[in-house]
Amino acid sequence: MIVYDLVCVLGHRFEGWFPGAKAFASQKEKGLISCPVCGDSSNIERLPSTPHINTKTGDKAGAASGLPEKPFRPAEVLKAALSRILDQCEDVGKRFPEEARRIHYGEAPPRNIRGTAQREEAEALAEEGIPVVQIPIPSPGDLH
């Protein structure tokens, strides 16, 4: 199967799957291809597409296909997310349950906090309707 990027006269882009180039040409000539948005079948054109290059040493088509050149690295993403949490939350330590309640009930200014709580304390906060997310965060020196 060949996948073609197509466009109608009104500029609606869509994709069509064909057994080959001859099948596309035949269906276009017979008016069998229509835009799924507006239904126009009078002037459907094939858009230029990026070629796929497959090499023996590995697929180097990433840049040509629009895929990121840098591979996804979950550890780096997790480290960045944890660093952001640490930077944007006030560490209230063991006072977390008390401070979360004070913020929830309007007794303290609203802000992002983090700290420690026993499982029972976290469950009690959740039962009170206080949103709590438990994330095991290593110390900053352990983020490697």
Side-chain angles (χ1 to χ4, degrees):
M1 281 297 207
I2 298 175
V3 180
Y4 287 139
D5 291 323
L6 306 172
V7 65
C8 76
V9 71
L10 296 177
H12 301 126
R13 294 175 66 127
F14 59 101
E15 157 180 299
W17 293 51
F18 302 92
K22 288 182 183 179
F24 167 74
S26 172
Q27 290 182 31
K28 180 182 173 190
E29 184 179 309
K30 294 175 185 175
L32 298 175
I33 305 169
S34 62
C35 174
V37 177
C38 65
D40 179 50
S41 62
S42 62
N43 193 8
I44 303 295
E45 296 298 325
R46 190 175 135 201
L47 295 170
S49 59
T50 306
H52 177 78
I53 301 169
N54 194 8
T55 66
K56 292 183 184 200
T57 59
D59 186 3
K60 302 294 183 190
S65 67
L67 297 174
E69 289 185 32
K70 185 177 178 183
F72 175 68
R73 301 204 190 284
E76 289 177 13
V77 173
L78 182 58
K79 181 179 175 184
L82 290 175
S83 292
R84 191 168 180 205
I85 290 170
L86 294 172
D87 290 343
Q88 295 182 1
C89 296
E90 178 186 338
D91 187 1
V92 295
K94 293 181 180 183
R95 296 182 304 110
F96 180 81
E98 172 192 339
E99 198 61 24
R101 282 188 179 92
R102 291 184 63 227
I103 292 169
H104 181 74
Y105 294 113
E107 299 167 3
R111 64 197 189 281
N112 297 323
I113 61 170
R114 62 183 171 89
T116 58
Q118 297 298 318
R119 179 180 304 227
E120 298 80 21
E121 294 172 319
E123 289 171 357
L125 290 170
E127 287 174 11
E128 289 180 52
I130 302 171
V132 176
V133 177
Q134 296 178 352
I135 303 173
I137 300 178
S139 64
D142 290 340
L143 293 176
H144 48 46

